Amino acid sequence: MAKREIYEAKTEKLIMPIIEQNAFELVDVEFVKEGSNWYLRLYVDKEGGITIDDCELVSRAMSDILDREDYIEESYILEVSSPGLGRPLKKEKDFLRSIGSEVEVRLYKPVERQKEFTGILKLFDKETIVIETKDCGEKIFLRSEIALIRLAFDF
């Protein structure tokens, strides 16, 4: 397991009591390097949408835990935010909640000369995703082919 994955897993474990106590949902944890800085990002949500005050509550509580536990060797910046409109589907509960919704699927490599597909999420399992497209009908993708899958949104 990579150091990044260890940090993310430990952070997820430590943040869960705060998340559960406040009836929030932990959408994702990322430990990433951008430029010369490392970021520990927590994406949280709740029914009706997360607020800045909610993010501040999680950030303050998690900062105290991170100071106490001190398990991340690198210097980093803690960020707590909403997953936003372009929220990726990562966990089983994300897929369950999105059955019947329109999703965007981006592939690593083209399939039939196309890397992006939009359709209604019909089925999923550990290996595959099935969407119903307007043009091509039912499309089945291996999860290993998918670079990103998220809810589609129109403006």
Side-chain angles (χ1 to χ4, degrees), residues 95-143:
F95 287 96
L96 282 171
R97 179 179 32 237
S98 301
I99 291 285
S101 297
E102 189 173 37
V103 296
E104 294 176 1
V105 177
R106 292 189 187 158
L107 304 176
Y108 290 112
K109 295 179 181 178
V111 171
E112 300 167 10
R113 297 191 310 232
Q114 192 174 344
K115 286 179 79 171
E116 295 184 13
F117 295 84
T118 302
I120 304 299
L121 180 62
K122 293 295 187 181
L123 299 168
F124 71 94
D125 60 30
K126 291 182 181 184
E127 304 293 325
T128 60
I129 302 294
V130 180
I131 67 170
E132 181 79 32
T133 68
K134 291 177 185 172
D135 302 333
C136 307
E138 194 171 272
K139 299 290 292 177
I140 301 171
F141 301 102
L142 294 175
R143 283 203 183 195

Side-chain angles (χ1 to χ4, degrees), residues 4-5 7-8 28-41 43 74-77 79 90:
R4 176 187 59 80
E5 293 169 323
Y7 292 162
E8 291 171 352
D28 200 11
V29 175
E30 291 180 329
F31 187 71
V32 295
K33 188 168 189 174
E34 293 180 2
S36 61
N37 294 318
W38 283 96
Y39 292 88
L40 178 61
R41 291 196 176 113
Y43 296 98
E74 295 81 4
S75 295
Y76 61 92
I77 299 165
E79 291 183 351
K90 292 190 173 190

Side-chain angles (χ1 to χ4, degrees), residues 3-66:
K3 193 185 298 188
R4 176 187 59 80
E5 293 169 323
I6 293 168
Y7 292 162
E8 291 171 352
K10 182 152 184 148
T11 301
E12 187 168 337
K13 181 180 175 188
L14 291 170
I15 193 69
M16 285 314 296
I18 298 162
I19 297 296
E20 292 166 355
Q21 178 182 2
N22 291 285
F24 296 158
E25 174 191 357
L26 181 64
V27 175
D28 200 11
V29 175
E30 291 180 329
F31 187 71
V32 295
K33 188 168 189 174
E34 293 180 2
S36 61
N37 294 318
W38 283 96
Y39 292 88
L40 178 61
R41 291 196 176 113
L42 309 176
Y43 296 98
V44 295
D45 208 354
K46 72 175 183 187
E47 189 69 35
I50 204 81
T51 66
I52 290 175
D53 290 338
D54 297 330
C55 291
E56 182 181 2
L57 181 150
V58 173
S59 180
R60 288 181 190 273
M62 193 62 197
S63 288
D64 292 343
I65 292 169
L66 290 166

